[in-house]
């Protein structure tokens, strides 16, 4: 039985996870995602292949290592809305804050990483899956916060529209990044885009799900 303190064990686990992630990202950027193997990553990090897969069950998780934060993001923004603030207002505010910070989870991943995703069919497919999972999480949160009946389609419909807005804006950030625009300019442009995108939802969702 290990007598190592729990806090130290957890700290070592986080360090190992980050070490593996860092080496994987470096290899993905240098060799391409499809061309890099789990063995390559294990060798670079000087760990066993099983250690890599214990921390990252899917190879795609090594590229999208913040996927849990991403998929929970819209539901978390909903939970954090101010008294009287609607779902639309909260998610718009959250996106604008992320754009202002140039948050990588919102799409500000830099040209090399964004190109890596665009060049990989596997990562492009996984990104679509993550957008779907994020929308599903938001739908569940909307159903809970509004007390909707199990057969009420409204939360799913609202989540589909709000999720689509964020998906479009994420894609816009990628598009501008690949076009070589600097991050500050991208942030300014998507802030303007967000005003239009969320404005389109105002007539249908402007009063939906206030806190």
């Amino acid at each position: 039985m290990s007598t190592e303190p729990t806090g130290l064990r957890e700290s070592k686990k986080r360090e190992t996870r980050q070490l593996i992630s860092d080496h994987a990202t470096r290899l993905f950027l240098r060799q391409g995602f499809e061309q890099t193997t789990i063995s390559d990553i294990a060798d670079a990090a000087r760990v066993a292949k099983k250690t890599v897969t214990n921390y990252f069950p899917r190879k795609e998780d090594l590229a999208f290592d913040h996927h849990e934060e991403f998929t929970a993001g819209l539901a978390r923004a909903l939970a954090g809305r101010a008294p009287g603030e609607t779902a639309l207002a909260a998610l718009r505010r959250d996106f604008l804050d992320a754009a202002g910070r140039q948050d990588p989870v919102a799409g500000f991943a830099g040209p090399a990483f964004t190109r890596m995703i665009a060049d990989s069919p596997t990562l492009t497919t996984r990104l679509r899956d993550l957008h779907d999972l994020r929308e599903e999480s938001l739908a569940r949160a909307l159903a809970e916060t509004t007390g909707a009946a199990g057969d009420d389609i409204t939360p799913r419909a609202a989540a589909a529209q709000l999720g689509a807005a964020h998906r479009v804006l994420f894609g816009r950030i990628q598009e501008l990044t690949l076009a070589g625009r600097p991050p500050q300019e991208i942030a300014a442009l998507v802030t303007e885009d967000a005003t239009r995108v969320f404005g389109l939802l105002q007539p249908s969702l402007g009063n939906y799900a206030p806190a």
Side-chain angles (χ1 to χ4, degrees):
M1 179 184 294
S2 173
T3 58
E4 190 176 53
T6 300
L8 183 57
R9 288 199 302 272
E10 291 304 315
S11 177
K12 286 185 175 180
K13 287 180 181 179
R14 287 194 297 271
E15 289 175 2
T16 301
R17 187 183 193 282
Q18 189 62 53
L19 175 71
I20 294 169
S21 175
D22 289 345
H23 279 290
T25 299
R26 178 177 57 80
L27 290 171
F28 292 154
L29 293 175
R30 188 177 70 195
Q31 301 176 179
F33 178 83
E34 309 293 346
Q35 291 74 29
T36 302
T37 66
I38 296 297
S39 293
D40 292 336
I41 296 164
D43 290 345
R46 296 186 178 182
V47 298
K49 283 177 61 177
K50 185 172 178 56
T51 301
V52 175
T53 55
N54 281 342
Y55 281 96
F56 300 93
R58 301 174 57 147
K59 182 182 168 185
E60 299 94 304
D61 293 342
L62 284 155
F64 296 124
D65 57 340
H66 297 292
H67 65 278
E68 293 175 349
E69 181 182 351
F70 180 85
T71 56
L74 300 186
R76 187 170 54 248
L78 178 74
R81 65 199 191 284
E85 188 176 33
T86 65
L88 174 60
L91 268 63
R92 176 172 50 206
R93 173 175 53 78
D94 185 72
F95 176 82
L96 293 175
D97 287 347
R101 297 192 309 273
Q102 299 172 26
D103 189 344
V105 178
F108 290 87
F113 195 88
T114 303
R115 172 54 62 190
M116 179 190 76
I117 296 172
D119 288 345
S120 167
T122 303
L123 291 181
T124 300
T125 299
R126 180 56 175 162
L127 182 57
R128 285 197 297 269
D129 291 342
L130 293 175
H131 279 293
D132 289 343
L133 291 170
R134 183 167 69 161
E135 181 184 310
E136 291 168 11
S137 178
L138 177 60
R140 289 192 297 270
L142 285 169
E144 181 178 349
T145 196
T146 61
D151 59 352
D152 187 350
I153 199 171
T154 306
R156 282 184 288 156
Q161 294 177 68
L162 293 164
H166 281 78
R167 192 182 302 231
V168 166
L169 291 166
F170 189 100
R172 178 68 166 150
I173 294 169
Q174 289 185 301
E175 173 190 315
L176 292 168
T177 299
L178 294 175
R181 302 292 188 92
Q184 287 185 334
E185 183 180 344
I186 295 172
L189 289 170
V190 296
T191 294
E192 293 179 7
D193 291 338
T195 299
R196 290 192 291 274
V197 170
F198 288 112
L200 291 171
L201 301 181
Q202 187 65 34
S204 58
L205 295 175
N207 297 315
Y208 179 65

